[in-house]
Amino acid sequence: MYYSPDAGLVWLGAWLAVVITLPYWLAKIRLRRIRKSAECWRLDSGRRELRQWHEGALIRRIGIKDGDKLLIHGTAENGKGRLERNFYLKYHRPYPAPEICLMVFAFGGNEDKQAFREAAQHLAALMKIPLEDYLD
């Protein structure tokens, strides 16, 4: 069997190509998996509707009506020796429809209240519905 002196360089080049590109492809696959597995709500402000996505598929659509509103409130608990604050943004529809939790900011502090309020105000302006603020 004939052995070429350049065969080692070919194998080394192929091995380097695999080693260099493998992390890129693994990261790309992981990012795609994260995006697909995420359950989220998305706003279509042109049609005034909320869309719920799960694993890359559209589950349901909810039309935004003028009688609906957004509520922001917070909770404070003592957990593991420190004060933990959670901020919630909920989409409230008239009874019997349940509230939908759109955004949660966990383990926030007093310095995070203003940023959370601004985000909620921005979303309320996009949805064109009132915002009720119950943050202490």
Side-chain angles (χ1 to χ4, degrees):
M1 183 163 148
Y2 176 74
Y3 176 75
S4 171
D6 295 332
L9 292 176
V10 171
W11 282 107
L12 180 65
W15 178 249
L16 284 176
V18 168
V19 168
I20 289 172
T21 59
L22 187 64
Y24 169 77
W25 289 108
L26 290 176
K28 193 170 183 175
I29 290 169
R30 182 171 183 227
L31 182 63
R32 188 174 344 140
R33 191 175 298 155
I34 289 171
R35 284 184 183 159
K36 244 185 133 175
S37 68
E39 181 173 337
C40 63
W41 287 93
R42 294 184 186 153
L43 170 67
D44 184 356
S45 58
R47 292 186 179 179
R48 287 195 73 197
E49 69 180 10
L50 285 170
R51 297 176 181 174
Q52 185 181 13
W53 294 83
H54 181 70
E55 294 183 359
L58 180 64
I59 296 176
R60 66 179 170 166
R61 298 175 190 208
I62 297 175
I64 300 170
K65 298 177 179 74
D66 292 331
D68 302 343
K69 58 188 167 187
L70 287 178
L71 304 170
I72 57 174
H73 66 89
T75 60
E77 302 171 357
N78 273 332
K80 298 181 184 174
R82 66 179 187 275
L83 183 66
E84 296 176 352
R85 292 186 166 277
N86 299 326
F87 306 128
Y88 299 93
L89 174 66
K90 295 185 177 181
Y91 175 63
H92 180 74
R93 301 177 289 164
Y95 184 79
E99 290 182 343
I100 297 171
C101 189
L102 296 178
M103 187 168 49
V104 177
F105 187 81
F107 308 114
N110 287 333
E111 64 276 0
D112 300 319
K113 278 185 188 177
Q114 188 58 33
F116 191 80
R117 276 191 180 113
E118 289 172 4
Q121 289 168 354
H122 178 69
L123 192 57
L126 287 174
M127 295 172 79
K128 299 176 185 149
I129 57 176
L131 173 70
E132 292 186 12
D133 187 353
Y134 294 110
L135 282 179
D136 50 15

